[in-house]
Amino acid sequence: MPGESDQLSEDELLDELLEGDISEADFLRLEAELIVSKEARLAYYERLKLHTGLQEESRTQSGTSESSTTTSLPPRRRLDPILSAALVALAFAVGLLIWKARQDTLAAKPEPLASGFGVVVDLADAVWKDGLTLAGGDLLPETSITLQGGLARIELFNGVVLVVQGESTFTLMTEMELLLESGSVQVLVPEMAQGFRVRTPHGDVVGQTSELAIEVSGGQVTMQVIDGEIEWHPEAAEIQLVSKGASLQWNSDGSSEMGTADAASMSQLEAGFEQERDQRRSAWERRRKKLLRDPQLLAYYAMGETEAGHNRLKNLSGVATSGTVVLADRSTDRWGSSQVALDFSPMGSRVRLNVPGEHESLTLMCWVKIDSLDRLYNSLFLTDGHELHEPHWQIMSDGRLFFSVRAQNSGKGKDKHVAYSPPIWTPAQSGQWIHLTTVYHGKDFTITHYVNGEAVSIDQIPTDLQPEKVSIGAASIGNWSEPRHRIDAEFAVRNLNGSIDEFGMWDKAMTATEVMGLFEAGRL
């Protein structure tokens, strides 16, 4: 499998450095080894002497030496520590210059970019117009948006909090400016965002450190100040101050009326989000009880369901073994409950399990929150090693889903078909919960990747790479192990930099309808 070969030995790394052909990853690995290991530094010094000597001998034999007298290298002896350190530093600097000169010829990798001034944090019965689908964690687009019903909590990057109520049409123009064309919005302006402006058809509301409610409807603008103070900047009229506990209704003809604020507070509105979340979670738990009765369910781990200690996960299917948690930290799940999901970002984290039997088809599913894709391969579910008929499910550093089942064991040529999806993740989605499903159909020999219930790719496996069956055995969630082959302490870094709160596996090829049903039932 590309990228899964053993790492280069120390001698090979030194040779590549001296020849100027070392990769960036291998250079960093060698640099770290030279910093911490005296033996590695001495080995580098000896290799540098040999390399220099061979170059000098080659030049002399070819007649290109500028002098017929060759200065011999000093005999090996125990070097003064200060001199040794200086020589190593000098020699390593030469290698560094060679490597940097090579890297300077390569185009600089562009810095990842995202677009938006705020992010959707929470929703309650939210319905968006024109087919727009915004979920928790999505960046707010820089266009006019209509929330047809429900509530949406939005946090801007300057600390301002908005709770929009349907039906409302609005545009987030900058971090400091919201255009409210119609509808209602609750605004919480912290001290560091004083001067936040809400534009309306009849003037601008400028908030200091304040909490307020604004409604634009029927040619009127109504402002209610729950806390703090605001300024009302009407068109062609004097600025007015509105303080805590007061309200101001401004009519399209320029008349106004003062009153007492009676709008719900931000905390009261947020209770609606909690109620919605609790209702959806209860509905999902009822659906999951039916799901667990499926006779084709091989493994199901809700990461908060433990047994016989904190590091034992209950397998809710009754087929696979219990999961053994190695190192992974407890974290918040997609419902907002703490200490329920598992964070696999600590180096070496994983859940160990064993899935017996042979299978014609396979469906893999998980709810995952990715913080970053900083490894070449980012594990979702990998069998130990990658033996004949065993599957691998992971995410590439460029955001593509990867799935394969090894079909041949000859050791010659290609031994499997790898099904890649298009990139399904970017840094803009960091920290956002997504639902991933991959279906291997053992009759049609197809592999289909799904994201949030939607199929994003389908691969037809070539005839010569179609597996006879799927077998799993010992495996890991969130990492990769190869204990049958590894004899030293080094290992490939593949642990997922993120969290998983549910993982499932079925001995069947789920239909598109079934996959969408899983997502809809389990989403926030």
Side-chain angles (χ1 to χ4, degrees):
M1 176 175 178
E4 292 191 357
S5 59
D6 295 336
Q7 292 181 318
L8 295 176
S9 68
E10 185 177 285
D11 286 346
E12 290 171 325
L13 289 175
L14 292 174
D15 287 340
E16 288 202 351
L17 175 64
L18 293 171
E19 293 297 332
D21 292 328
I22 194 167
S23 68
E24 181 176 3
D26 285 338
F27 175 82
L28 294 174
R29 176 185 162 206
L30 179 59
E31 180 185 42
E33 183 68 14
L34 290 171
I35 290 172
V36 301
S37 172
K38 177 182 177 181
E39 290 75 17
R41 291 194 293 271
L42 290 174
Y44 177 61
Y45 173 69
E46 295 297 332
R47 184 57 62 92
L48 181 64
K49 288 198 302 182
L50 177 61
H51 181 77
T52 305
L54 290 174
Q55 285 185 327
E56 183 65 23
E57 181 179 353
S58 175
R59 285 195 297 269
T60 301
Q61 290 179 353
S62 62
T64 60
S65 176
E66 294 181 2
S67 172
S68 60
T69 303
T70 302
T71 303
S72 61
L73 291 170
R76 182 168 181 170
R77 58 186 176 85
R78 184 177 183 84
L79 295 173
D80 176 84
I82 296 178
L83 177 59
S84 176
L87 286 172
V88 169
L90 178 61
F92 191 74
V94 172
L96 176 61
L97 289 173
I98 294 172
W99 177 80
K100 283 183 67 63
R102 177 173 174 267
Q103 295 304 306
D104 288 342
T105 63
L106 302 176
K109 185 177 180 180
E111 185 176 8
L113 298 175
S115 179
F117 300 113
V119 63
V120 178
V121 175
D122 219 339
L123 300 168
D125 296 322
V127 178
W128 306 95
K129 189 178 179 181
D130 299 327
L132 183 65
T133 56
L134 288 175
D138 282 341
L139 292 172
L140 205 67
E142 302 167 66
T143 57
S144 178
I145 298 170
T146 298
L147 178 67
Q148 290 184 304
L151 299 174
R153 177 187 168 101
I154 298 164
E155 293 184 0
L156 309 190
F157 300 138
N158 60 2
V160 170
V161 179
L162 308 173
V163 176
V164 183
Q165 303 180 59
E167 182 169 339
S168 297
T169 299
F170 63 98
T171 305
L172 187 57
M173 303 178 72
T174 71
E175 284 188 41
M176 291 296 292
E177 191 172 359
L178 174 74
L179 172 62
L180 180 62
E181 299 175 45
S182 63
S184 303
V185 62
Q186 200 94 357
V187 185
L188 181 63
V189 182
E191 183 178 359
M192 69 285 295
Q194 290 187 53
F196 181 78
R197 186 178 295 263
V198 180
R199 295 193 179 277
T200 77
H202 305 294
D204 296 351
V205 181
V206 180
Q208 304 307 319
T209 303
S210 54
E211 180 180 343
L212 66 147
I214 305 173
E215 182 178 2
V216 177
S217 177
Q220 297 176 335
V221 179
T222 303
M223 296 149 273
Q224 301 190 61
V225 182
I226 300 163
D227 195 14
E229 185 178 71
I230 66 169
E231 296 178 357
W232 167 239
H233 295 232
E235 295 180 346
E238 295 293 325
I239 296 174
Q240 296 188 37
L241 296 179
V242 186
S243 300
K244 178 180 179 180
S247 69
L248 173 64
Q249 178 180 296
W250 187 270
N251 303 311
S252 57
D253 62 4
S255 62
S256 63
E257 181 180 344
M258 295 293 296
T260 302
D262 59 3
S265 67
M266 184 77 76
S267 59
Q268 290 172 319
L269 288 177
E270 288 180 349
F273 295 115
E274 295 179 6
Q275 181 179 9
E276 168 76 4
R277 196 160 46 241
D278 290 344
Q279 289 174 349
R280 290 201 63 84
R281 181 168 192 162
S282 296
W284 166 241
E285 288 174 347
R286 291 192 296 271
R287 169 69 183 273
R288 194 173 67 185
K289 287 181 180 178
K290 296 180 181 179
L291 195 70
L292 297 177
R293 294 197 289 268
D294 187 340
Q296 292 179 289
L297 183 64
L298 294 174
Y300 204 99
Y301 299 95
M303 301 306 176
E305 298 274 352
T306 60
E307 62 181 11
H310 186 70
N311 73 326
R312 298 285 290 176
L313 292 182
K314 184 185 297 183
N315 173 32
L316 302 179
S317 75
V319 177
T321 62
S322 298
T324 300
V325 180
V326 180
L327 194 62
D329 290 335
R330 290 286 167 182
S331 62
T332 302
D333 70 0
R334 69 186 189 277
W335 308 103
S337 299
S338 61
Q339 302 295 307
V340 177
L342 284 179
D343 179 3
F344 292 89
S345 58
M347 187 71 67
S349 297
R350 68 200 71 201
V351 172
R352 297 287 291 152
L353 65 151
N354 187 79
V355 183
E358 297 178 348
H359 319 285
E360 180 181 72
S361 298
L362 197 67
T363 297
L364 294 166
M365 178 279 294
C366 71
W367 280 97
V368 59
K369 176 173 68 70
I370 301 168
D371 296 327
S372 70
L373 296 176
D374 51 356
R375 298 86 161 91
L376 177 60
Y377 298 95
N378 303 265
S379 171
L380 295 172
F381 178 79
L382 300 181
T383 56
D384 287 2
H386 198 190
E387 307 298 334
L388 185 65
H389 303 144
E390 293 183 353
H392 271 194
W393 191 37
Q394 51 200 337
I395 309 176
M396 305 298 292
S397 60
D398 60 5
R400 293 177 297 160
L401 281 169
F402 170 121
F403 181 84
S404 68
V405 179
R406 189 170 180 180
Q408 298 178 8
N409 207 20
S410 64
K412 297 180 180 180
K414 194 173 181 181
D415 58 4
K416 60 190 165 294
H417 174 76
V418 178
Y420 294 104
S421 75
I424 57 93
W425 189 90
T426 69
Q429 296 165 279
S430 179
Q432 179 179 340
W433 285 98
I434 56 177
H435 185 258
L436 300 180
T437 307
T438 294
V439 176
Y440 165 70
H441 199 302
K443 289 183 178 178
D444 296 342
F445 292 106
T446 57
I447 299 170
T448 308
H449 291 300
Y450 296 84
V451 179
N452 290 338
E454 298 282 354
V456 296
S457 67
I458 181 168
D459 274 44
Q460 179 68 55
I461 303 175
T463 303
D464 60 332
L465 294 176
Q466 294 175 353
E468 298 175 2
K469 56 189 176 183
V470 178
S471 57
I472 298 169
S476 295
I477 298 171
N479 213 325
W480 185 43
S481 295
E482 44 178 356
R484 288 172 287 183
H485 307 287
R486 197 158 63 90
I487 59 175
D488 57 36
E490 291 184 345
F491 59 89
V493 177
R494 290 202 186 176
N495 58 297
L496 178 73
N497 193 349
S499 301
I500 294 174
D501 71 353
E502 291 190 70
F503 174 90
M505 180 189 306
W506 287 262
D507 181 23
K508 65 178 179 180
M510 275 193 183
T511 65
T513 301
E514 288 175 310
V515 173
M516 178 58 77
L518 270 181
F519 166 68
E520 288 291 347
R523 70 180 179 87
L524 287 173

